[in-house]
Amino acid sequence: MEGRASTVDVTVDCVVFGIDEAHLKVLFIERGLEPFAGAWALPGGFVRPGEGLEQAARRELSEEAGVTELFLEQLFTFGDPGRDPRGQIISVAHYALVRLSDHRVRAATDARQAAWFPVHEHPPLAFDHEEIVEVAYRRLQGKVRYQPIGFELLPRKFTLSQLQRLYEIVLERSLDKRNFRKKILAMGLLVELDEVERGVAHRAARLYRFDERRYRRLLQRGFNFEI
Amino acid sequence: MEGRASTVDVTVDCVVFGIDEAHLKVLFIERGLEPFAGAWALPGGFVRPGEGLEQAARRELSEEAGVTELFLEQLFTFGDPGRDPRGQIISVAHYALVRLSDHRVRAATDARQAAWFPVHEHPPLAFDHEEIVEVAYRRLQGKVRYQPIGFELLPRKFTLSQLQRLYEIVLERSLDKRNFRKKILAMGLLVELDEVERGVAHRAARLYRFDERRYRRLLQRGFNFEI
DNA sequence: TCGAGTGAGTGTACAGAGTACACTGTGCGC
DNA sequence: GCGCACAGTGTACTCTGTACACTCACTCGA
């Protein structure tokens, strides 16, 4: 009937997304230990006693890649028997979004390397991490369209072109410039700043920031974000 | 660094939804054992050695409530420390949809009672199951609008009014009859049967069934279901 | 300083989808 | 045969999505 079954262990793994001018990238760690020593894998590790799942994910990210204070959400729990050669180990996978510009990823303290790879061009991965990345990417593509999480990937001040490029890269299709601007500005969630971008070899574009406060107020009145 | 931490146990819990003429209902089990003996709780239990998560969820549903062959999907994993007085136990929650008409829920073999309660009027629940039901209900409300999962709650042959009532109950708002029919029929996913409902004291309504095959074909061509 | 290059910024016309709305028809039961 | 209850049906308007091209501002190099 109902007995304790302590043969299952619990890990968290994180799919951390970042974006540069041309690519959506994911953060991987080179494993130092068996199994899969030397292979690339998602940052993650075992949940510790007394620790919550999100807490464990944030700790692992901080320890292994030096990234803190980022958008992070639970993704899915992978528990197929056989997914880990060490035994029955389930992974509560999370996905996270960081501003590549802010977060210089440092090498992990224990000399394991951390590196960014384009989501479609990464080395073979340990465990079922390939599948986890797939699921995370589909979730991101779905969620970015009806929740304003894309801003988590951009610098706090950004141009409309950067924002458009973000959506084009994540959704993998091109968008019409005028329609995109019309729609995003009509939502009233962007604040036009008294500042323009710098260091570009052409007319400098206006900078904007996302109005978080306003978004939360609109949410309560039943507002629906949608790109 | 990376050591085994076998202090965490893993359970699965299921939020099973069913619908009758007027209410969306959830299936609960009266607990026979401590903790929370005598309280109502979601059907669920510990994952067994060698068992996958969905597999464990289906087994528990079959054992505790006699329901089999139903729509079932992973929902979220709850792992706050302290959510279970027995120690660190995470719950991989699932949600499921059944046709109340088909599934007579039998009492569980071990004499614990199983019963349906309206989603908004159930007794106090054990553990954090209140929160799990909340999350499941929000997921259902979101998902029912852009995936044809509502049909899992209806008999295989149904009238358009039944279908409309389903959406009205789940979404908690009324829909316009003509617009609803126009939209749902325009999708071309319903097959009109040569049959009408029986035993009603008024003109009998036409019966339809959902065309699963057709839906899958349309999906591949980029079709988007939406109510 | 002037010309070339690069991306910023802007409006309109059309098509399609969503929405609001009310009456007649049919079958049953009394 | 009459009343009740729900089945079934179409149109007009509004709003949203989409397609589409040129001028302007700024920098850099010759």
Side-chain angles (χ1 to χ4, degrees), chain B residues 27-131:
Chain B
L27 180 67
F28 296 109
I29 305 281
E30 200 173 13
R31 285 181 62 84
L33 300 174
E34 292 295 341
F36 298 100
W40 293 91
L42 294 170
F46 287 93
V47 174
R48 296 194 180 154
E51 203 175 40
L53 298 171
E54 184 178 325
Q55 189 185 355
R58 288 186 188 275
R59 175 184 50 74
E60 290 287 348
L61 281 181
S62 160
E63 286 177 11
E64 297 199 335
V67 287
T68 56
E69 294 183 30
L70 70 182
F71 174 92
L72 185 135
E73 237 180 45
Q74 195 186 110
L75 174 65
F76 193 81
T77 299
F78 295 81
D80 279 0
R83 62 173 293 280
D84 191 314
R86 291 168 291 186
Q88 194 161 9
I89 299 183
I90 72 170
S91 167
V92 183
H94 292 68
Y95 73 106
L97 307 178
V98 306
R99 308 178 210 279
L100 273 191
S101 43
D102 296 13
H103 289 273
R104 283 283 151 256
V105 171
R106 19 163 246 261
T109 49
D110 52 10
R112 283 183 272 169
Q113 279 192 65
W116 295 93
F117 292 93
V119 68
H120 292 311
E121 305 163 38
H122 56 251
L125 300 179
F127 306 107
D128 54 356
H129 289 186
E130 186 77 44
E131 183 190 355

Side-chain angles (χ1 to χ4, degrees), chain A residues 197-209:
Chain A
E197 67 180 336
R198 300 177 136 271
V200 289
H202 54 80
R203 175 178 175 183
R206 173 72 43 164
L207 289 171
Y208 292 80
R209 68 171 178 82

Side-chain angles (χ1 to χ4, degrees), chain A residues 4 9 50-51 74 77 88, chain B residues 3-4 9 50-51 74 77 88:
Chain A
R4 295 291 285 272
D9 280 337
E51 203 175 40
Q74 195 185 110
T77 299
Q88 194 161 7
Chain B
R4 294 293 285 273
D9 279 338
E51 203 175 40
Q74 195 186 110
T77 299
Q88 194 161 9

